[in-house]
Structures are given as C-alpha cells and as structure tokens.
Amino acid sequence: MNAMTLQVVSPVPTDIDIANSVEPHHISVIAKKLNLNPNNYDLYGKYKAKVLLPVIDELKGRKDGFYVVVGGITPTPLGEGKSTTTVGLCQALGAFLDKKVVTTLRQPSQGPTFGIKGGAAGGGYSQVIPMDEFNLHLTGDIHAITAANNLLAAAIDTRMFHESTQSDNALFNRLCAPNKQGKRRFNDVMYRRLKKLGITKLKPEDLTLEEVKRFARLDIDPETITWRRVMDVNDRFLRKITVGQGPDEKGMARETGFDISVASEIMAVLALTTSLADMRHRLGKMVIGNSKAGEPVTADDLGVGGALSVLMKDAINPTLMQTLQGTPVFVHAGPFANIAHGSSSIVADKIALKLVGPDGFVVTEAGFGSDIGIEKFMNIKCRYSGLRPQCAIIVATIRALKMHGGGPPVTAGRPLDPVYVNENVALVEAGCANLARHIRSTKAYGVNVVVAVNQFSTDTGAEIAAVRSAAFAAGAYDAVLCTHHAHGGKGAIDLGIAVQKACESATGPFNFLYPLDASIEDKIEAIATSYGASGVEYSKQAEKQIKMYTKQGFSGLPICMAKTQYSFSDNPAAKGAPTGFVLPIRDVRASIGAGFIYPLVGTMSTMPGLPTRPCFYDIDLDTATGKVGSHFTETVQINRIKIIDQNAVAVSNLRHQV
C-alpha cells in the first residue's frame, strides 16, 4: 500500500496491524519533500534520519511557518487523543490540503511502552511509522541521556569518596596532575569552576593554600543531593535503594534511588536547548546538591560538564520520521509533563518552521491538559525559544465532558458505565465548564483557540452540538468534529481548514502569564489563579526551599508546576471547573540547567511501576519476518506447547520401552 493513498477499513484494526500494513517511504524521500539534501542528515536505517543542527544556519534568512500547539481538556485516565489529533491534523494538511507541514513530537519512554500506557505514536489511521521503532530505541537519544545522567551520578559519589580520604593538597595534586612534560595545568572545565570562585589565576602553582582548598574540595552535603540514577524501564523496586555497601566503600553508604530516564534533568535540557553551545552551558550548570556551606554544586564543579556534552552531541539532532500518509515528523526529546515541561525540543521546532516556509505549518503537542501542558509551553518553552504560536488546539471528547459533568469515574481496564455510551446532553453541558476554562485560559496568551472534538461511535448529534455551542460561548475561534482515528487525514480536513484560518487571522499580541522578575511566590500564585484557586498554602519545607533558591540567585527562573493532570485542583477527584480551593505546595525543587523551578503540589512518582498485566504481554517478535506484533504470539505459544507435549510423549514411550 502506498503511504499517501491510505486505505481505511471498518472496524478499525489494531494500531500495530495498521502500522504494519503500510510500507513506509525511504526516509530520503521524506527529506526531499523538505528540500533537505543528503549532507543535511545522517541515515539511521531506511526509515529514520538525524537532521543535523547546521540546517538552522543554512535557513537563517527564511521566514518561519505557522506554529500550532495541541493541548486538551482535563483528561480521563484513558486519554482523549492529543497525539492522534496532532498526527491526523498534519496528515490532513499535508496529504489533502497540499500544505507543507511538519509534526514535532516527543520521543516516548520505553517504560510506558512495556508498562500500562503502551506506545505513543498516535493511533488508528493517524500514526507515526515505523511504530515499533518510534516506541523503542529510535536513534538512541534516551540511551545517551541515561549514560550521561549515570556518569554524573557516579561522579558525585566518587568525589565524596575521594574527598573523605585525602587532604586538600593531595586532592589538588591529583586533579591537576602533571602532563608528560611534567607541567601542571588546569583543564578547560576547571576554568569554569575557577571563574565561579572568582579566582583569576591561570596556573595551578599560583594558587594560595586557601584557594587550593576552595578549588579542590566541593564538600558536598549528602543530605542535599537531588541527583538520582536513571533507567528507561518501569521498576518500582528501584525507587529507593542504598549505594556504597561494598567493602571498598565502607562508611560511604547512603540512600538514593532510580528515576525513569525521561525524568532526568538532562532530558529537559535537551528539550529546551537552542544550540550546541547552549546545551554545553546548561549541562555544566545543572545543580546536583549543595555544599555543607549551602553553595550550589554543579556538574562543571565536578568536572564532568564537557563529558556529558560529548555523550549528548548526537542526541541534539532531531530524528526525522513519517506519518502513515507520508508527511514528515520530527521526534525529539521527551521530558516529563509534571516535574518538567512536557514538550518536544526547541531545535526541532526551529528547524521545522524554517523548512516549511512562510505558508507552511508546524504542529506540536503539549503534555496533559492545557492547564499544565499549554501553560508550560507558553511560559517556559516559548520564553527560551522566542517562538510564538498563532493557534492552540484544545482536544475534547464527549466521554471526558460527561465525566466532568458528574458522570461516574472512568478507570483504565474497566468497562465504561452505560452513561458514557448513551445520550445525555445535560451531563455534556455541565462538563463543558471544564472546556470553557481551558479555552479562556489559553486564549489569554493571545492565540486563537480551535476545539477539536474526537468523535466516538456512540456520540450523538445533540451532544456534539452542545459542545460546539459551549466552545463558541467561551471564545473559541472554531469547534470542529474529527474522525482522524477512523479515517486518517481525511477525517481531519475540517480541522485543518479551521487551523489555517485561525493562523492567518491571528493578530493579537502574545502575553505571558507572569513576568520573570516577579518573586517565586508571585509566579506560583499567578499559575494557581489560572487553575481557579483562591490562594496558595506553602509547607515549611517549601518556604525553606524558596528562601534558599532566592538567596542562590535562581528566583528569576520560570515556574514548572508539578500537579495532577486529572483536575484543575490538587485533588484528582475534583472534576469540572472547581473554584475557591487553596493550592497546597508541599515542596519546591529546581532544574537549574534546564532553567526552571518546580513546585510540588502533590506526590510525584518519577519511577513508574509495572501493573499486574503489563503491555509486554502483547509484544512479541515474528521470527519468520522479523516484524514486531502480537497476533502471531498465540500461534507461536500453541506450537511450542505442541512441541513440548510431543517431546513428553516421546520420553514417556522411551521409559516404557526401557
């Protein structure tokens, strides 16, 4: 089947069956559509390529295309289809409306792929392909992040170990060991620490004894270390561990833990960096904890910032892929949407906007509902990128609106209550209070808002009409019914037309929610007010951290609120559009290299666990073709059982003969 002429069938097959039914174009064909020549990219097999960063410089004088961000209403645990809408819209724009378009998406973690959620390539007839490559190793970026993160973790414990057993002079002499000519010298990374300390001397021998001590001894306070090791697998038993229990590390044991790789600050750095030099700077200034004197200790203080940059030098290049209908996709970075900002990379968006040109479109996605995802996209990503979207899409479903109107809980893995599959216009109308708040909050940034209603077979005309009416009343530019899951790009043509008109008519000034020079508390309270909160309550720990970060000079950073995605409030059960609640801030932490402060509204798990029946039950390999899938698994197992049974019979017969 040709990727551009997608043939849909009903009922919609499984995502993997659809993905395997389409033969992707060679990635060089996709690159040619964007006028990329072979010198602009490195091939990673037949269907993936890394687009090289210098492309930005080559296209510097070219005008940007239209910039569109996709968010959503407060979701159910089943999700409302933001990724699918993002892909379906781009298939409509590129394959049906003859527009130059690039989709920019986050790279998914392998944890959810093998855990509860499954893949993140879109769904139905609106997917990124090859689906298995998208959801697994891709081009190795997450593995590079894992290696870099864990190198820094090893450097922290090793430095504390050596400082505990050596004098200041011994440390200094080893750090500035003589070269083959017998001369001592500072490495490039050491000059960064010297500059931080205000030491202007260029030769090791010129330092005073006091300067030697300040330079060589980091004196890390183990109680303040925030840097943890990572791996890209869901493993609940690594959430809390003890390190340093070997006989050679006697007396150095401490409690720590593992996070999932995409929760690493290095992932957020990759997503927010604007150039190779900027990435080197951000990696070097990542804070891992404090000294016993209360001074922040950075990766460059440990001497590892340059090595981290080397491990990440290829990861900074976005990966080029394609949709089922042959439209280009950039897959790059995948930061968490709670403790980080939940958007794909700035460099991918910047390259894409130049490649599509002034009449083209770049469509990206913001994690979770717009209260979290679009807020962070606007106030964090757009600040660092300098880019401004013309249009924001709010994805909604009748199912989610019924839940917000007072319907019973929606739980993953359990059948839906009958109220969700039978007409109930009153419930939909009540739930539209949630949609209206998302529209108004997003519109306040100065962008046109288009509502995309993902249609299910049980949705009725009266229910859809109620959503459209509520959307227009709240100030939406348009509200469009979408069937891209069942029909591919053809099912999102109306959405594509609405988005084009919304972009072309965007004239308003862009507005941030808060100024950066406001206090940390004022910025937190501005965000809380946008949720509908009447105030903010800080724990003693949160107040202590705010005071510390302000003293250390970090109060000018944007805020990245870590809050449940299932409600505007801190309470996941508070559906609809709650008001008058007080938002509790239990702790405040920082990702200084990435460039934001993140208050914790609730308890945030950064290492997911596996459920009773993980998704890995449905993943197997067809050893005859090498394809990834699930349908052949049952046959394979039955055949294996038959072989085992036949062998058992043969052994039994042999025993009788003996």
Side-chain angles (χ1 to χ4, degrees), residues 342-364:
S343 297
S344 59
S345 77
I346 286 173
V347 294
D349 289 358
K350 284 196 164 188
I351 292 172
L353 285 163
K354 295 296 183 188
L355 289 173
V356 299
D359 297 321
F361 293 82
V362 171
V363 184
T364 192

Side-chain angles (χ1 to χ4, degrees), residues 68-295:
V68 180
V69 59
V70 179
I73 63 170
T74 306
T76 69
L78 305 179
E80 311 319 308
K82 289 197 314 295
S83 298
T84 306
T85 299
T86 303
V87 175
L89 169 60
C90 291
Q91 290 181 169
L93 288 167
F96 291 91
L97 299 175
D98 199 27
K99 299 294 180 182
K100 268 203 167 184
V101 63
V102 174
T103 315
T104 59
L105 295 175
R106 288 183 290 171
Q107 179 184 354
S109 166
Q110 289 181 163
T113 298
F114 292 115
I116 296 176
K117 184 174 180 286
Y125 287 101
S126 295
Q127 292 188 55
V128 179
I129 54 172
M131 175 190 176
D132 55 328
E133 295 183 29
F134 176 90
N135 283 306
L136 298 176
H137 306 287
L138 199 63
T139 48
D141 293 355
I142 292 180
H143 301 316
I145 288 164
T146 303
N149 185 99
N150 293 343
L151 176 62
L152 179 52
I156 295 165
D157 287 308
T158 299
R159 185 58 172 264
M160 290 193 297
F161 170 75
H162 288 303
E163 286 191 17
S164 71
T165 59
Q166 298 180 49
S167 67
D168 297 338
N169 279 334
L171 276 170
F172 184 74
N173 289 336
R174 286 181 170 88
L175 289 170
C176 302
N179 59 21
K180 291 181 180 179
Q181 289 73 39
K183 292 184 178 181
R184 295 183 183 278
R185 66 181 183 85
F186 292 121
N187 292 97
D188 288 346
V189 70
M190 293 179 176
Y191 286 113
R192 295 173 185 255
R193 175 155 176 78
L194 289 167
K195 183 179 180 181
K196 175 182 174 180
L197 296 172
I199 300 173
T200 58
K201 297 169 184 176
L202 302 179
K203 296 179 181 179
E205 58 267 25
D206 292 341
L207 268 62
T208 66
L209 290 177
E210 177 61 25
E211 288 170 338
V212 164
K213 180 178 181 177
R214 291 175 62 212
F215 172 80
R217 192 164 294 279
L218 301 182
D219 203 23
I220 299 169
D221 181 355
E223 296 299 317
T224 67
I225 295 172
T226 56
W227 199 265
R228 290 153 58 97
R229 288 162 174 83
V230 300
M231 64 188 303
D232 199 34
V233 174
N234 290 4
D235 192 341
R236 67 177 70 245
F237 288 94
L238 291 177
R239 289 170 179 167
K240 189 174 184 180
I241 63 168
T242 303
V243 296
Q245 297 192 93
D248 294 335
E249 292 76 45
K250 191 173 181 180
M252 297 301 297
R254 69 179 183 91
E255 283 190 350
T256 180
F258 273 75
D259 296 328
I260 198 161
S261 294
V262 293
S264 170
E265 183 177 349
I266 296 176
M267 177 62 90
V269 166
L270 178 65
L272 290 172
T273 196
T274 55
S275 67
L276 204 55
D278 183 52
M279 183 176 76
R280 171 63 186 89
H281 175 68
R282 288 174 181 270
L283 291 172
K285 71 175 184 178
M286 293 187 303
V287 173
I288 59 88
N290 295 331
S291 70
K292 290 174 183 174
E295 295 297 318

Side-chain angles (χ1 to χ4, degrees), residues 1-43:
M1 187 189 303
N2 184 285
M4 293 298 291
T5 55
L6 191 63
Q7 296 177 12
V8 303
V9 297
S10 182
V12 178
T14 64
D15 291 348
I16 189 66
D17 285 342
I18 293 172
N20 285 338
S21 73
V22 175
E23 181 64 33
H25 294 302
H26 192 282
I27 200 63
S28 61
V29 175
I30 305 300
K32 193 172 182 180
K33 289 183 180 182
L34 295 172
N35 296 319
L36 290 168
N37 66 61
N39 294 327
N40 296 137
Y41 57 87
D42 290 334
L43 292 173

Side-chain angles (χ1 to χ4, degrees), residues 247-509:
D248 294 335
E249 292 76 45
K250 191 173 181 180
M252 297 301 297
R254 69 179 183 91
E255 283 190 350
T256 180
F258 273 75
D259 296 328
I260 198 161
S261 294
V262 293
S264 170
E265 183 177 349
I266 296 176
M267 177 62 90
V269 166
L270 178 65
L272 290 172
T273 196
T274 55
S275 67
L276 204 55
D278 183 52
M279 183 176 76
R280 171 63 186 89
H281 175 68
R282 288 174 181 270
L283 291 172
K285 71 175 184 178
M286 293 187 303
V287 173
I288 59 88
N290 295 331
S291 70
K292 290 174 183 174
E295 295 297 318
V297 178
T298 68
D300 273 344
D301 288 331
L302 286 155
V304 74
L308 302 181
S309 303
V310 170
L311 286 170
M312 294 293 295
K313 70 179 179 65
D314 294 324
I316 198 173
N317 299 311
T319 299
L320 178 64
M321 296 186 75
Q322 62 191 287
T323 68
L324 285 167
Q325 295 189 276
T327 60
V329 181
F330 278 156
V331 185
H332 201 214
F336 258 30
N338 48 31
I339 65 164
H341 63 291
S343 297
S344 59
S345 77
I346 286 173
V347 294
D349 289 358
K350 284 196 164 188
I351 292 172
L353 285 163
K354 295 296 183 188
L355 289 173
V356 299
D359 297 321
F361 293 82
V362 171
V363 184
T364 192
E365 181 190 347
F368 295 154
S370 66
D371 56 323
I372 300 176
I374 286 184
E375 184 274 309
K376 293 176 182 181
F377 175 87
M378 301 295 191
N379 290 302
I380 299 176
K381 184 175 180 179
C382 288
R383 282 189 199 270
Y384 286 122
S385 69
L387 301 173
R388 304 290 183 260
Q390 290 77 37
C391 175
I393 297 170
I394 304 294
V395 177
T397 62
I398 300 295
R399 174 184 66 198
L401 292 171
K402 285 181 176 179
M403 179 191 71
H404 287 296
V410 175
T411 305
R414 294 184 184 176
L416 287 171
D417 188 275
V419 73
Y420 292 108
V421 294
N422 294 307
E423 182 175 274
N424 191 323
V425 176
L427 211 55
V428 173
E429 289 175 337
C432 280
N434 183 272
L435 172 63
R437 182 176 292 174
H438 283 290
I439 292 169
R440 286 192 289 267
S441 296
T442 304
K443 200 178 174 194
Y445 294 105
V447 299
N448 285 331
V449 176
V450 173
V451 174
V453 183
N454 272 345
Q455 186 177 22
F456 287 74
S457 60
T458 54
D459 299 343
T460 69
E463 290 173 331
I464 293 164
V467 177
R468 283 175 50 82
S469 176
F472 286 119
Y477 181 88
D478 204 345
V480 182
L481 188 64
C482 304
T483 61
H484 44 269
H485 183 273
H487 302 116
K490 187 177 180 180
I493 291 175
D494 289 344
L495 178 61
I497 293 169
V499 166
Q500 181 180 346
K501 290 179 179 177
C503 287
E504 291 172 346
S505 64
T507 56

